[in-house]
Amino acid sequence: MTAYKWQVRMSGTGGQGIISGAIMLAQAALNDGFNAVQSQVYGPESRGGSTKSEIIIDDEDIFYLKVVCPNVVLLMSPEAYKKYGQDVLPGGMVLLDSSIAKEALPADALIYALPMIEAARTQVGNELVANTLALGALIALSDMISIKSMEEAITERFAAKPKVLDVNLRAFRLGVEMGMAAK
Amino acid sequence: MSKVKLIQGNVACALGALAAGADFYAGYPITPSTEIAEFMASRLPKIGGHFIQMEDEIASMGAIIGASAVGHKAFTATSGPGFSLMQELLGYAVITELPLVVVDVMRAGPSTGLPTLPSQSDVQQARWGTHGDHAIIAISPASVTETYFETIRAFNLAEKYRTPVVLLIDEKIGHLRERFDVPDDFVPKIINRKTVVDKKAQYVPYENTADLVPPFVPLGQGVHWHITGLTHDEKGFYSSNPQVVDKSIRRLSAKIEDNKKDICKLETVFTEDADILLVAYGSVSRTAQEALNQLRAEGIKVGLVRLITLWPFADEEIAKLLAGKKAVMVPEMNLGQIFKEVDRVARGVKVFAQSRVDGDLITPAEIVAKVKEVL
């Protein structure tokens, strides 16, 4: 059984910034001194459809590139919830947007439902930053990596666009608060 | 300390090409290789190089062949369907002895197949896709960092042996993001094609030199020479003289097959005491390493031969590694394209194929189970 420290699966709908969020998470893990690999699965269509990205984080070399059974799962759409929410390891964590029903998730997982999409829309003013908000909540709930490294990774990704950076950092910090409160 | 970079395999390939001195790219975008074209389109114009988006892959090959003939380090990137279209002109580059690099980020075929999913099913196409007796060099990296270094090596080998080189990256590695272990101040060793010693002497473009690789003078720099896809003599003109043809065709293969020690590259993990060997390449070799770690932890003596150069095939070296083993397993994302090569050189050692062609990766658990079944 593969026993990498963090086997993270992030999933949602094409256009939600799932892969972008996954790249930032992997960069943040490297900033913290871990090894990390990030890959994704997507279909031939360019928009819509479900998107899945996987990130493996460990102290040692990472050989096999796919998550065998995730211990951290993010679900941002009903379709992702149906396809990718079921094989979480016992004791693993599932974070889902509270717009999604949660009856069918494994009973032995820690399940957190937070209104991430709504908070991005109403409190940050842009639904498109629900992905960075979700990163904040994920990190606060899991302690996978440091908040500092995550902020560095977000800053690096949007360095050329100060306004976009600002809204993403606000979303991330709100996500951290929401995660802390739910813990 | 420089910041740890997270880079995608395709981008590492583009960075490697730039580091190797590539200054000309012509291509037609295709999943899962497009990031290479995008990166070259953004970089080449800024450094005085040339980027052309062509109308198709046939024209792309034509453009890089022309660029190479006038002295550029040229390359293209594609995937299975585009690689099929490139085959005839790949043979043209072989017989005209023009250095270039073709990157094939492999997806599942035949035809348009599974555009976004990984595969290793172009391995034999790289070897025999173009018609006629010839040798080819093909390399398959297994990590983002290795993609960078092997792209540089691909350009160097193309220049050194005046030949096209195929870089076979599987989709999983092309789209993988991981740590990029190349220092900011890294300066690669660059090989440029050999030119004539005596510039005043008459240039013989296909001279039968002792090292089997004729010197090169770029077209358009004062020396006129003839280039043709027809079988030619040392001066480059058509010949059907049996002796000339025989010598020329044998030299084309020999310049690569006789230099396997320089071209072939593989890595071994715990092969010496192993009862059973895994032979793998590309992303599957990482799965094999994972399976090996699990099996060794259980006390099962497994070794790994990781092929980096696929063509020319390292017959003798692999035969030596296989000798005396109980069994050999070749996991790959195709129906046994390298398995058949391994089996050919195994000299009585039992070789098993482990194939997966459904667009998904072979898992460590599958390899572990198969090893236990075989033992």
Side-chain angles (χ1 to χ4, degrees):
Chain A
M1 187 70 218
T2 312
Y4 294 125
K5 200 169 193 172
W6 296 105
Q7 304 204 54
V8 186
R9 180 178 297 156
M10 297 169 66
S11 56
T13 304
Q16 274 185 326
I18 295 295
I19 291 173
S20 169
I23 293 169
M24 290 187 277
L25 178 61
Q27 176 69 62
L30 293 188
N31 294 354
D32 260 357
F34 294 111
N35 263 322
V37 300
Q38 180 272 336
S39 61
Q40 63 251 342
V41 169
Y42 61 101
E45 65 278 87
S46 59
R47 275 179 190 78
S50 59
T51 307
K52 175 179 81 163
S53 182
E54 295 185 337
I55 308 98
I56 302 171
I57 299 170
D58 201 82
D59 301 306
E60 307 291 330
D61 288 338
I62 298 162
F63 297 108
Y64 186 54
L65 299 171
K66 275 185 73 173
V67 163
V68 179
C69 284
N71 55 9
V72 176
V73 177
L74 172 71
L75 304 168
M76 294 295 277
S77 76
E79 199 191 358
Y81 160 76
K82 281 183 212 140
K83 280 170 84 170
Y84 303 125
Q86 303 308 317
D87 61 346
V88 63
L89 281 171
M93 183 193 112
V94 179
L95 170 62
L96 73 163
D97 193 81
S98 47
S99 62
I100 306 167
K102 59 171 180 176
E103 294 84 31
L105 285 170
D108 51 4
L110 295 166
I111 297 163
Y112 300 96
L114 297 176
M116 294 178 280
I117 297 171
E118 192 198 329
R121 187 174 59 238
T122 58
Q123 294 185 56
V124 191
N126 192 340
E127 194 175 308
L128 289 175
V129 295
N131 62 340
T132 32
L133 191 147
L135 281 177
L138 265 188
I139 286 176
L141 288 165
S142 67
D143 293 322
M144 250 186 294
I145 50 171
S146 70
I147 290 170
K148 180 175 165 283
S149 287
M150 197 64 242
E151 287 196 351
E152 278 171 14
I154 295 170
T155 305
E156 191 191 331
R157 186 154 182 93
F158 299 110
K161 300 171 184 169
K163 280 184 188 168
V164 180
L165 172 61
D166 177 64
V167 72
N168 273 284
L169 282 177
R170 280 196 288 131
F172 173 73
R173 284 164 193 161
L174 177 61
V176 172
E177 282 174 32
M178 289 168 68
M180 294 287 189
K183 217 169 173 176
Chain B
M1 198 184 110
S2 65
K3 201 170 165 308
V4 198
K5 278 179 270 186
L6 181 81
I7 283 190
Q8 190 193 54
N10 280 344
V11 172
C13 172
L15 288 169
L18 288 168
D23 58 355
F24 190 99
Y25 181 101
Y28 186 80
I30 181 170
T31 301
S33 74
T34 305
E35 293 85 0
I36 299 172
E38 285 174 347
F39 198 88
M40 298 315 287
S42 74
R43 287 293 175 90
L44 278 178
K46 291 177 190 157
I47 59 163
H50 303 274
F51 175 92
I52 315 178
Q53 181 167 325
M54 303 302 295
E55 66 269 35
D56 61 30
E57 288 87 347
I58 300 173
S60 304
M61 274 301 283
I64 64 170
I65 285 170
S68 180
V70 298
H72 287 285
K73 287 197 182 179
F75 81 117
T76 190
T78 188
S79 188
F83 194 43
S84 291
L85 290 174
M86 291 176 175
Q87 292 303 328
E88 195 211 348
L89 281 176
L90 188 65
Y92 186 87
V94 167
I95 199 169
T96 56
E97 298 183 68
L98 291 168
L100 50 86
V101 173
V102 177
V103 182
D104 173 15
V105 187
M106 292 182 284
R107 64 194 230 185
S111 190
T112 32
L114 296 167
T116 59
L117 299 178
S119 165
Q120 296 176 313
S121 55
D122 298 348
V123 167
Q124 288 290 350
Q125 188 191 18
R127 179 64 190 90
W128 290 116
T130 196
H131 62 278
D133 274 309
H134 66 284
I136 198 89
I137 298 174
I139 298 170
S140 194
S143 73
V144 168
T145 301
E146 190 170 81
T147 298
Y148 174 83
F149 289 118
E150 288 303 315
T151 304
I152 295 172
R153 194 167 77 94
F155 276 90
N156 283 344
L157 290 171
E159 294 284 318
K160 185 172 181 181
Y161 295 104
R162 272 191 70 174
T163 188
V165 173
V166 181
L167 197 63
L168 292 170
I169 306 174
D170 60 76
E171 185 275 342
K172 206 69 203 168
I173 299 298
H175 278 163
L176 173 71
R177 287 183 184 83
E178 66 180 346
R179 197 179 65 200
F180 185 60
D181 286 322
V182 180
D184 287 339
D185 56 356
F186 172 72
V187 181
K189 181 174 170 275
I190 301 296
I191 298 174
N192 294 314
R193 59 196 89 166
K194 158 185 96 172
T195 189
V196 288
V197 184
D198 181 0
K199 297 230 157 104
K200 285 179 187 157
Q202 201 190 359
Y203 176 50
V204 183
Y206 296 102
E207 190 181 349
N208 282 308
T209 52
D211 67 354
L212 306 175
V213 184
F216 177 87
V217 178
L219 282 183
Q221 295 191 14
V223 178
H224 300 278
W225 53 286
H226 191 246
I227 302 182
T228 177
L230 290 166
T231 306
H232 40 261
D233 60 19
E234 287 181 272
K235 288 179 180 164
F237 289 97
Y238 169 67
S239 172
S240 61
N241 177 321
Q243 285 161 320
V244 170
V245 173
D246 185 78
K247 197 164 186 177
S248 149
I249 297 302
R250 287 183 193 280
R251 181 179 63 74
L252 276 183
S253 277
K255 72 174 177 178
I256 291 168
E257 298 289 341
D258 291 359
N259 284 300
K260 281 186 182 178
K261 278 208 172 113
D262 182 43
I263 300 167
C264 290
K265 192 170 164 187
L266 55 78
E267 273 182 11
T268 58
V269 185
F270 297 141
T271 47
E272 280 179 20
D273 73 335
D275 296 322
I276 185 160
L277 278 190
L278 306 171
V279 180
Y281 53 97
S283 65
V284 179
S285 66
R286 298 173 67 137
T287 313
Q289 173 78 56
E290 179 83 38
L292 180 151
N293 294 348
Q294 292 176 28
L295 286 159
R296 282 270 168 183
E298 292 180 40
I300 299 172
K301 287 183 176 171
V302 181
L304 169 65
V305 180
R306 185 169 78 83
L307 305 179
I308 301 168
T309 304
L310 299 182
W311 309 118
F313 198 70
D315 292 27
E316 295 81 8
E317 200 178 354
I318 293 168
K320 267 186 212 159
L321 289 165
L322 267 51
K325 300 301 177 195
K326 279 187 192 162
V328 178
M329 259 180 57
V330 187
E332 51 187 336
M333 288 188 282
N334 58 49
L335 291 176
Q337 296 191 19
I338 285 293
F339 155 73
K340 286 167 191 152
E341 298 295 322
V342 176
D343 197 38
R344 180 175 58 77
V345 303
R347 293 173 195 159
V349 179
K350 186 72 188 154
V351 186
F352 298 88
Q354 184 166 32
S355 296
R356 193 148 179 182
V357 288
D358 61 354
D360 210 342
L361 300 183
I362 296 170
T363 65
E366 285 173 322
I367 296 178
V368 166
K370 180 97 176 176
V371 165
K372 287 179 178 173
E373 182 192 313
V374 163
L375 268 179

